[in-house]
Amino acid sequence: MTDPRIEKLANLLVNYSVGVKPKQRILIQGESGAEPLLKEIFKQCLQLGAYPFISSYPDEYFYSVVRYAQAEQFRGILEPYQHFIETVDARFRIQGEVNTRELTQLDARKVAAYFSESGRITSRMLEREAEGKLKWVLALYPTNAYAQDAEMSLPEYEDFVFNACMPDQNDPIGYWHKVAAQQKKIVQWLKGRKSVHITAPGTDLTLRIDGRPFISCACEVNVPDGEIFTSPLENSANGRVYFTYPTVYQGSQVAGVRMEFKDGKCVHATAEKNEAYLNQMLDVDEGARYLGEFAIGTNEGITRATGQILFDEKIGGSFHMALGNSYAESLGVNKSKIHWDMVCDLKQGGKIYIDDQLVYQDGKFTINF
């Protein structure tokens, strides 16, 4: 029997996040584990009169590419994907991995080379989005692999995912409209502010945000959602930060990350786990050691880290920063082949000051918006 929540989640993605229209060209991508949701999105796009195409990755697709192809083949292998990004009107990317660690034992340089090449295409996707020519959304379908990473049973993890995406399952779209309205008030208050100072255990960091708008995220690009973000001035980060939660990037987990910033650049980075991999990624290009994003997580329904950044970065009472590529809509100009989000908990004594005014403490806003 099909879980009725799949149809509701597909409806949220198709009709709210992307807003599919008749005759639009639609790319639907995902791993094999996401097939139930891929099929439902495909069906609903057809019912709306669009022209959808499914690209489903078989098991061990990425493993095989990195294991058996030469690095000089990557661009050719990804050429069809680039063609789609240049020509479609909308893209659905549904994560549905059956093995989240399949790349861990492969040559990290080849893994980085592959994702650097795909990152170049992702940057083009963001450019087309900024031009108003392409809509896209990223979501996740619960699999045993994700449940194991989260240390949950599959039924428990399914509940976690669907509840995070659709806190009100009777009216998912109405719920996110309300979130969007509330976050709009916060973004309006932040307009014109200039400085950010964050303190927490192991963290004391300052940023400048002069002229950089905050963007409200309410399930139009990521599902689940719940954050406000901006791109700090590229040369402004100074101080240190300790990222509370482990992070997984390109199949490799890094934990206990500490970074020191000077004039915007991460000049020193350590990790309790996979430190060499961390620094290898930060050295992939000139922009990788600069910040592309600063954000505050607002999804109160996500209360714990599960190893999936799509969820972890939205944890209510946290902030996250991304090393690498920035977003055009927040007027960032940092360019990089990576965009690596890392999350810091603020519920245990954390504070955020905006223009020297305390606005966030112990995971809650101190201002009544």
Side-chain angles (χ1 to χ4, degrees), residues 98-150:
V98 296
N99 180 357
T100 61
R101 298 292 185 267
E102 67 176 359
L103 302 182
T104 302
Q105 299 303 317
L106 297 180
D107 184 343
R109 291 169 298 182
K110 284 188 70 178
V111 174
Y114 176 80
F115 284 103
S116 292
E117 192 60 41
S118 66
R120 180 182 59 81
I121 303 173
T122 300
S123 295
R124 177 57 185 148
M125 180 186 74
L126 296 176
E127 289 174 0
R128 292 197 70 222
E129 178 194 31
E131 295 165 359
K133 297 178 180 178
L134 184 151
K135 285 277 290 181
W136 65 277
V137 66
L138 171 67
L140 177 146
Y141 184 79
T143 67
N144 273 309
Y146 297 140
Q148 289 167 351
D149 287 349

Side-chain angles (χ1 to χ4, degrees), residues 182-250:
Q182 174 61 21
Q183 292 188 169
K184 182 178 179 180
K185 295 176 184 178
I186 300 173
V187 167
Q188 283 294 111
W189 186 90
L190 288 164
K191 189 176 181 179
R193 308 293 173 174
K194 297 181 178 180
S195 67
V196 178
H197 183 194
I198 312 144
T199 63
T203 296
D204 190 343
L205 187 72
T206 58
L207 306 167
R208 300 291 301 187
I209 54 172
D210 311 55
R212 299 290 173 88
F214 275 82
I215 308 298
S216 169
C217 299
C219 264
E220 293 183 329
V221 173
N222 284 178
V223 179
D225 221 331
E227 69 170 279
I228 56 172
F229 78 89
T230 192
S231 294
L233 268 63
E234 286 70 25
N235 64 350
S236 69
N238 281 285
R240 57 192 172 87
V241 59
Y242 170 62
F243 294 105
T244 316
Y245 302 117
T247 178
V248 177
Y249 191 72
Q250 299 174 358

Side-chain angles (χ1 to χ4, degrees), residues 5 21 24 34 81 86 92 105 118 152 155 165 172 182 204 224 229 238 264 286 311 313 332-333 354 362 365:
R5 295 175 296 184
K21 301 293 190 297
Q24 284 186 324
Y81 171 42
E86 293 285 1
F92 294 85
Q105 299 303 317
S118 66
M152 296 181 187
C165 296
Q182 174 61 21
D204 190 343
F229 78 89
N238 281 285
E286 182 61 29
F311 292 78
E313 68 176 5
V333 296
I354 306 289
D362 294 327
F365 282 101

